């Protein structure tokens, strides 16, 4: 990826890495690229999550867009997939989402979507990045009547929830949900959605204050949700992340279902309806071995991509697939949406549970999850760059690859969204995989500078 855009847009600490100046220039460059493609005055929609810096970045991106002649429609606080949907519904030329997803409140990000609701291609991001890196002299700054205008949209939440409700076929008798909004974007949409679905529900972490997004809550911290589900005798817990493009679930016994569990359940559901295109699911290299074994048992095929929902989506579009996702909880239903959507996934899960006529714990048990451990190593850009070529690190990875041959696997990769190198080891023995991950992480710390 480039110097500004990673695997999921531009991201960093707001005011430090992601400054207002950079946000203005991303707006300017994005408008210039899109205007060149359309040949007309472009319209951008902008959505944001609840973190304190989102208002600041909304103003900065809007100013940049307007300065080069683009009009702006502000959606307010909405999930990332709402921007992807509404950009097409409203006939806009592009969409911007201001969010750092599951990261702490001090981070923020800028994600860009094209007119069909898909994330921009690498080529389009590279063109935007090139304009920014060339500097001020290249910006086509407008004057007078050519300056863009800003309007606020009052119907964004309602229009998006209407779209989600179309995936539901009716009410869900016997279900009692506990819904963790992560003090993020779902706080604006989940109340209306679950009321529309007619399902008994209680909301948790739905009072954002700008600082509490993802703070010991949501899909990255399901411990409290799990405990509350059991204590309150709920049939299911649902946990979204900060921008509500991910979903994890908790069954009635308090056990967590990650994206692999959920994709396994949803693959069966879509297949039963004849809606699992090519009997294939697209997943990433981080997917648990148990998922692949389950797919084989059911006669389904899998496509394996690099880590990142954008790569899953690219594979799905190339191969004409209807279902794909990640262990982290991104799930993409290409018949319904152009990006991962946590709340759409929740609706589909409710449909799957109702169709199966079994509690979520029984559906979870259909997939055996193999022990898996993850070590995160703090990493600079130079450490990430050297990861695939340092002899001592590669030697340690090879040593454990050979030791685990036939009984496990290793995935070592640089995160595209955080300053981390991730070491994932999976196998039959928890002790062995813990040792392997620790040895590889230690080699990274010792040899990469």
């Amino acid at each position: 990826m480039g110097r500004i855009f990673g695997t999921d847009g531009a991201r960093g600490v707001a005011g430090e890495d992601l400054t207002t100046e950079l946000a203005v220039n991303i707006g300017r460059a994005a408008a210039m690229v899109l205007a060149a493609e359309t040949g007309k005055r472009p319209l951008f929609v902008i959505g944001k999550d609840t973190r304190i810096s989102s208002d600041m970045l909304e103003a900065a991106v809007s100013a940049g867009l307007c300065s080069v002649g683009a009009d702006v429609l502000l959606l307010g606080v909405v999930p990332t997939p709402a921007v992807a949907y509404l950009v097409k519904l409203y006939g806009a030329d592009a969409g911007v989402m201001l969010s750092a997803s599951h990261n702490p409140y001090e981070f923020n990000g800028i994600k860009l979507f094209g007119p069909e609701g898909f994330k921009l291609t690498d080529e389009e991001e590279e063109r935007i990045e090139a304009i920014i890196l060339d500097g001020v002299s290249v910006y086509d700054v407008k004057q007078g009547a050519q300056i863009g205008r800003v309007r606020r949209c009052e119907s964004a939440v309602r229009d998006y929830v209407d779209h989600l409700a179309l995936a539901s076929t009716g009410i869900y008798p016997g279900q009692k949900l506990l819904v963790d909004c992560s003090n993020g974007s779902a706080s604006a949409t989940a109340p209306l959605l679950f009321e529309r679905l007619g399902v008994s529900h209680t909301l948790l972490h739905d009072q954002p204050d700008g600082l509490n997004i993802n703070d010991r809550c949501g899909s990255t911290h399901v411990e409290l949700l799990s405990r509350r589900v059991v204590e309150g005798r709920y049939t299911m817990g649902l946990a979204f992340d900060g921008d509500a493009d991910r979903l994890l679930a908790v069954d009635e016994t308090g056990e967590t279902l990650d994206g692999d569990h959920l994709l396994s359940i949803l693959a069966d559901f879509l297949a039963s309806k004849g809606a699992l295109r090519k009997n294939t699911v697209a997943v990433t290299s981080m997917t648990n071995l148990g998922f692949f074994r389950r797919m084989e048992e059911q006669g389904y095929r899998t496509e394996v991509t690099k880590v990142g929902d954008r790569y899953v989506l690219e594979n799905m579009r190339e191969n004409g697939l209807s279902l794909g996702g990640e262990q982290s909880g991104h799930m993409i239903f290409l018949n319904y949406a152009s990006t991962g959507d946590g709340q759409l996934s929740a609706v589909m899960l409710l449909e799957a549970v109702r169709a199966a006529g079994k509690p979520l714990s029984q559906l979870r048990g259909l997939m055996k999850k193999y022990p898996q451990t993850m070590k995160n190593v703090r990493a600079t850009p130079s450490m990430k760059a050297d990861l695939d070529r340092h002899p001592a690190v590669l030697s340690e990875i090879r040593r454990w690859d050979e030791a685990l041959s036939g009984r496990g696997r290793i995935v070592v990769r640089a995160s595209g969204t955080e300053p981390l190198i991730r070491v994932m080891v999976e196998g039959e023995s928890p002790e062995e995989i813990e040792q392997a991950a620790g040895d590889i992480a230690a080699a990274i710390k010792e040899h990469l500078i």
Side-chain angles (χ1 to χ4, degrees), residues 94-105:
V96 180
M97 180 63 187
L98 305 172
S99 175
S101 189
H102 60 285
N103 292 136
Y105 83 89

Side-chain angles (χ1 to χ4, degrees), residues 170-250:
I171 61 174
Y172 306 95
Q175 288 292 348
K176 179 184 176 185
L177 309 182
L178 184 60
V179 181
D180 188 339
C181 298
S182 200
N183 290 316
S185 293
S187 303
T189 52
L192 180 58
L193 172 63
F194 290 103
E195 190 68 33
R196 282 282 301 276
L197 296 181
V199 60
S200 173
H201 66 280
T202 301
L203 299 178
L204 188 64
H205 300 124
D206 63 330
Q207 300 296 319
D209 62 10
L211 307 178
N212 60 3
I213 186 172
N214 301 316
D215 185 12
R216 293 167 291 178
C217 60
S219 63
T220 54
H221 298 279
V222 297
E223 301 83 10
L224 177 62
L225 177 67
S226 178
R227 189 168 70 249
R228 292 277 184 88
V229 164
V230 175
E231 292 172 350
R233 298 177 183 249
Y234 291 92
T235 58
M236 190 186 305
L238 302 172
F240 304 112
D241 65 336
D243 65 337
D245 65 350
R246 301 186 189 195
L247 170 73
L248 294 190
V250 173

Side-chain angles (χ1 to χ4, degrees), residues 175 236 265 269 348-360 363:
Q175 288 292 348
M236 190 186 305
I265 294 168
F269 172 61
M348 299 299 284
L349 179 61
L350 285 168
E351 291 287 311
V353 170
R354 186 179 67 170
K358 299 176 181 178
L360 190 56
L363 298 180

Side-chain angles (χ1 to χ4, degrees), residues 64 73 75 77 87 110 118 136-137 140 150-151 187 214 242 264 270 288 317 354 367 376 382 423:
L73 182 61
L75 305 178
V77 173
V87 67
I110 301 175
F118 295 105
V136 176
S137 61
D140 184 19
V150 178
R151 294 181 292 120
S187 303
N214 301 316
S264 174
L270 292 183
N288 192 272
R317 295 179 72 187
R354 186 179 67 170
M367 188 198 94
N376 291 323
S382 64
V423 180

Side-chain angles (χ1 to χ4, degrees), residues 42 84 147 181 210 217 226 237 274 300 315 420 425 446-447:
I147 294 172
C181 298
C217 60
S226 178
Y300 309 146
N315 187 286
L420 299 172
V425 184
E446 179 181 354
H447 299 290

